[in-house]
Every structure is written in structure tokens, then in C-alpha cells.
Amino acid sequence: MDKVKYPILTEKTIRLLEKNQYTFNVDQKSTKIEMKKWIENFFNVRVKAVNSHILPRKKKRIGPIIGHSIYYKRMIITLQPGYSIPLFSNK
């Protein structure tokens, strides 16, 4: 469970829910195969596809010190028809 940070709920991800696609921020070192197995076992669903991308880092400045914000890898999980994740149920 420590590899999945949290689900993402934005306007775009809510539109993706209609296509049976769910978006999560995951650990930087997570792979698509690991996430597919974890989602299938944890939520008891069938995964059709996994897409991932890494968000660009944002600069943070506190006085003279320049740093970067923490960033995660974002994965879009597409489920087989007939399956859904109860965490996002529309009912």
C-alpha cells in the first residue's frame, strides 16, 4: 500500500471515470507491472491497461535557498468493462 500515494480527483480525472479509467499518484520507483498486480489483488478487478507519466518538478524558494517540490509518478489505470473500483463509486 505504500507504493500508492493517493487517488487524483480533478476535472479531467472525473471525465476519465466515465471511460472506466482511474488515476493515482504512486511512488517514483513503481513499475506498471507492479501496479497492475497490486490494483488487481487489492480491489479484486481486472486491469486492461496501465499508462504512466512523471510530472515536472516545481521550484520552491525559501529566502536564498532554492529547492524542489516532491513529485510522484502518475498512473492511469484502465479497467475491463464491467469492473469498477468502489472507492470511486458514483452511487
Side-chain angles (χ1 to χ4, degrees), residues 21-66:
Q21 295 180 332
Y22 300 87
T23 307
F24 297 95
N25 272 359
V26 297
D27 187 41
Q28 181 81 23
K29 297 177 183 176
S30 299
T31 63
K32 291 181 180 183
I33 296 168
E34 287 176 350
M35 292 312 303
K36 179 180 178 180
K37 288 179 183 178
W38 188 87
I39 294 289
E40 286 181 342
N41 291 334
F42 190 77
F43 292 111
N44 197 21
V45 295
R46 297 287 304 197
V47 175
K48 183 178 179 181
V50 178
N51 296 327
S52 67
H53 66 279
I54 298 173
L55 301 171
R57 294 181 108 178
K58 294 183 180 178
K59 288 185 181 179
K60 296 269 184 171
R61 182 181 183 110
I62 300 174
I65 300 169
I66 297 175

Side-chain angles (χ1 to χ4, degrees), residues 2-20:
D2 59 337
K3 297 238 179 197
V4 175
K5 300 301 180 187
Y6 48 87
I8 305 298
L9 289 174
T10 61
E11 291 180 17
K12 181 178 180 179
T13 59
I14 291 172
R15 282 194 315 260
L16 290 176
L17 288 175
E18 296 171 0
K19 298 178 183 177
N20 214 15

